[in-house]
């Protein structure tokens, strides 16, 4: 089936064209879309792209940073405002993939991909949708509706810079080092107040159809000092309420078995 390519100068026009057609796909860096084209994926017949370079902008305002959906993992690594996310971006693929893979595309990448999105989930990012009236959506809501919602164009994501850089931690677990795909990724934002965790946010990649919160882990850590006893309790409920997938990298059973071990490693790592 031939695929038509539509190129727009303005983000709003691309957003309108995308939302008007269920069989259209937006082209980010193309690491997944072009693979689908090569594999003769029949689920879309139109590719929509936009020339507006502002889709790649990264803007810091106070303690909030807005990252254009077209910013690549390499753009994130190169930007000093995003030093806290650089280790996450570095964990995505190899150099060639990072030069193309965008932040926007990562939001849509099916499991086991989505490492960067897991970090955005732990950091409580807002996803900004393009359109006549652009609007911000909590990343949880965006991910919940992602695979059944309208064909919306993501313009950017806004994320709060952690006040204390050591409060944010990220770990990618893969079998092939350094650029294998995730068995799981774990991102944790654990700000301390008076020596206790206050507002724990912990997210997994590759442990569900989209990145997901580890709700039981968050509950186990919140209000506790980050000590051996609290970490042990958190590790014991590492997969509570979750239904990890079985794929070519690992079975659901394996993911359940090892999640607590990796979570413990992340939580006991020296705070930087
Ligand atoms: C060899 C290889 C290794 C990889 N390793 C990793 C890895 O380690 N970790 C990981 O997380 N991912 C990995 N990926 C997957 C992928 O490269 C990344 O998830 C990447 O961030 C996807 O971004 P993209 O711009 O290339 O997406 P594209 O291929 O352009 O698009 C992917 C999907 O997102 C949609 N989309 C893209 N941008 C927007 C937007 N602004 N608004 C609305 N929809 C949009 C597209 O329509 C499409 O459905 C890998 C891929 C390959 C090929």
């Amino acid at each position: 089936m031939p695929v038509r390519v539509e190129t727009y100068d303005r983000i709003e026009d691309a957003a309108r064209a995308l939302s008007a057609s269920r069989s259209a796909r937006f082209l980010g860096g193309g690491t997944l879309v072009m693979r689908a084209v090569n594999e003769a994926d029949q689920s879309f017949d139109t590719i929509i792209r936009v020339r507006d370079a502002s889709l790649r902008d990264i803007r810091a305002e106070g303690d909030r940073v807005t990252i254009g959906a077209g910013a690549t993992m390499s753009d994130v690594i190169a930007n000093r405002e995003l030093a806290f996310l650089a280790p996450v971006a570095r964990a995505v693929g190899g150099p060639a993939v990072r030069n193309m893979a965008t932040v926007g595309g990562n939001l849509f990448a099916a499991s086991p991909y989505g490492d960067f999105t897991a970090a955005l989930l732990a950091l409580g990012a807002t996803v900004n949708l393009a359109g006549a009236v652009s609007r911000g959506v909590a990343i949880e809501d965006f991910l919940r509706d992602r695979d059944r919602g309208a064909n919306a164009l993501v313009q950017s994501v806004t994320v709060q810079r952690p006040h204390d850089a050591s409060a944010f931690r990220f770990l990618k677990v893969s079998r092939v080092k350094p650029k294998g795909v995730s068995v799981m990724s774990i991102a944790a934002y654990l700000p301390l107040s008076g020596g206790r965790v206050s507002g724990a946010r912990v997210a997994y990649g590759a442990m569900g159809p989209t990145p997901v919160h580890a709700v039981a882990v968050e509950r186990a850590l919140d209000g506790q000092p980050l000590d051996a006893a609290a970490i042990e309790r958190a590790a014991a409920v590492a997969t509570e309420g979750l239904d990890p997938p079985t794929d070519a990298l690992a079975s659901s059973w394996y993911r359940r078995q090892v999640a607590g071990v990796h979570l413990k490693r992340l939580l006991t790592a020296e705070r930087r």
Side-chain angles (χ1 to χ4, degrees), residues 200 214-225 229-235 237:
V215 176
V217 173
E218 292 172 342
R219 234 184 269 129
L221 293 174
D222 229 3
Q224 306 297 319
I231 291 172
E232 205 59 57
R233 284 195 298 274
V237 295

Side-chain angles (χ1 to χ4, degrees), residues 26 28-33 69 91-93 101-102 105-106 108-109 113-115 152 154 172:
F26 186 75
T31 58
L32 298 174
V33 168
V92 173
T102 65
N106 202 265
F108 291 87
Y113 297 141
D115 299 319
V154 174
K172 173 171 169 173

Side-chain angles (χ1 to χ4, degrees), residues 129-217:
L129 303 177
V133 183
S134 66
R135 59 198 171 91
V137 182
I139 189 164
E140 288 84 356
D141 297 341
F142 173 83
L143 291 171
R144 186 194 59 221
D145 297 338
R146 184 188 74 176
D147 298 329
R148 54 189 149 104
N151 224 355
L153 198 160
V154 174
Q155 185 152 2
S156 59
V157 295
T158 302
V159 64
Q160 189 117 2
R161 225 188 321 237
H163 293 296
D164 169 9
S166 70
F168 176 65
R169 296 159 177 226
F170 175 80
L171 175 71
K172 173 171 169 173
V173 182
S174 59
R175 293 176 190 266
V176 180
K177 305 283 191 305
K179 52 182 186 176
V181 175
S182 283
V183 169
M184 71 186 61
S185 49
I186 315 176
Y189 181 50
L190 305 169
L192 293 180
S193 171
R196 292 174 182 271
V197 176
S198 171
R201 295 182 62 99
V202 180
Y204 290 120
M207 292 290 276
T210 68
V212 288
H213 272 291
V215 176
V217 173

Side-chain angles (χ1 to χ4, degrees), residues 35-49:
R35 188 159 80 180
V37 170
N38 290 338
E39 289 169 352
D41 186 330
Q42 302 288 304
S43 67
F44 61 95
D45 58 17
T46 306
I47 286 179
I48 291 181
R49 51 194 286 271

Side-chain angles (χ1 to χ4, degrees), residues 59-85:
R59 284 190 327 274
E61 281 167 59
D63 58 0
R64 290 151 66 86
V65 189
T66 296
I67 312 170
T72 64
M73 297 299 146
S74 298
D75 292 337
V76 170
I77 293 165
N79 192 296
R80 284 174 52 196
E81 305 289 350
L82 293 173
F84 61 103
L85 282 171

